[in-house]
Amino acid sequence: MQSNYFLSQLLFASYIYDQPEGTPHYLDREGYEATRRRLDKLVVVPKPLEDFLPETKGIDAFFLSNVFDWMSPPLRTRMCELVVGAAGKGARILHRNMLSANALPRFFTERFVRNDDLSADVMDLERSMMYRRISVGDLS
Ligand SMILES: C[S@@+](CC[C@H](N)C(=O)[O-])C[C@H]1O[C@@H](n2cnc3c(N)ncnc32)[C@H](O)[C@@H]1O
């Protein structure tokens, strides 16, 4: 419990602030300062991905955690097309599944080179105990 801030938040609606691993990194002293210093790099775009991605190019990294799970198959396919279209060369993609791990379309999986070691490392960091699969890799 002391090293699982997700669990303490889930059970007690609170992080454990006096433990080294008791909060997400962005809330510990060092992480909070680093986050504040870099805030100017953050841009919040209040749009669905279907609207944002077509007008965007050269994205280096995508973090799609528990996003594909909720999409219909046609929208999942469309999202993969849009991700490929907006990705920069060698873009890194993380996608994480909680409820389901539906297959992604072939045109996408043929270009997505999953890094099994890195995916396993990231899965080891997962503390919510709710995610069944995390894939990290690069787009060829
Ligand atoms: C179940 S939540 C997951 C939240 C968080 N990423 C996580 O892993 O805990 C799914 C998220 O995907 C976003 N999402 C789903 N479809 C989307 C779409 N078409 N465009 C933009 N965001 C979408 C939802 O707004 C929501 O924030």
Side-chain angles (χ1 to χ4, degrees):
M1 175 70 77
Q2 288 178 353
S3 65
N4 190 334
Y5 57 78
F6 195 98
L7 195 56
S8 69
Q9 181 63 240
L10 193 69
L11 294 176
F12 306 121
S14 177
Y15 295 126
I16 305 176
Y17 292 96
D18 59 354
Q19 292 294 326
E21 294 285 312
T23 64
H25 182 54
Y26 71 90
L27 285 181
D28 67 26
R29 190 184 305 268
E30 196 182 297
Y32 188 75
E33 284 310 315
T35 305
R36 279 177 60 95
R37 274 199 309 277
R38 296 171 190 151
L39 259 187
D40 61 313
K41 295 182 177 176
L42 177 70
V43 179
V44 178
V45 180
K47 284 183 179 176
L49 287 164
E50 310 82 290
D51 293 348
F52 172 68
L53 290 178
E55 61 195 36
T56 309
K57 292 277 175 254
I59 297 183
D60 294 325
F62 295 81
F63 185 86
L64 298 166
S65 173
N66 195 2
V67 173
F68 287 126
D69 306 38
W70 301 88
M71 292 180 173
S72 63
L75 184 54
R76 206 178 300 128
T77 298
R78 177 76 185 126
M79 200 54 63
C80 288
E81 289 168 354
L82 292 173
V83 165
V84 169
K89 196 168 182 302
R92 176 148 292 184
I93 300 175
L94 178 151
H95 64 94
R96 183 158 86 146
N97 302 97
M98 183 170 76
L99 295 177
S100 58
N102 293 302
L104 295 175
R106 191 147 167 203
F107 74 84
F108 183 83
T109 54
E110 282 174 353
R111 291 196 49 192
F112 176 70
V113 183
R114 187 176 194 269
N115 181 327
D116 292 334
D117 290 340
L118 184 56
S119 299
D121 288 348
V122 174
M123 191 68 186
D124 282 346
L125 294 172
E126 152 55 31
R127 297 174 193 202
S128 75
M129 298 172 283
M130 292 179 187
Y131 285 88
R132 62 174 61 188
R133 187 170 164 84
I134 298 176
S135 293
V136 190
D138 298 330
L139 212 54
S140 66

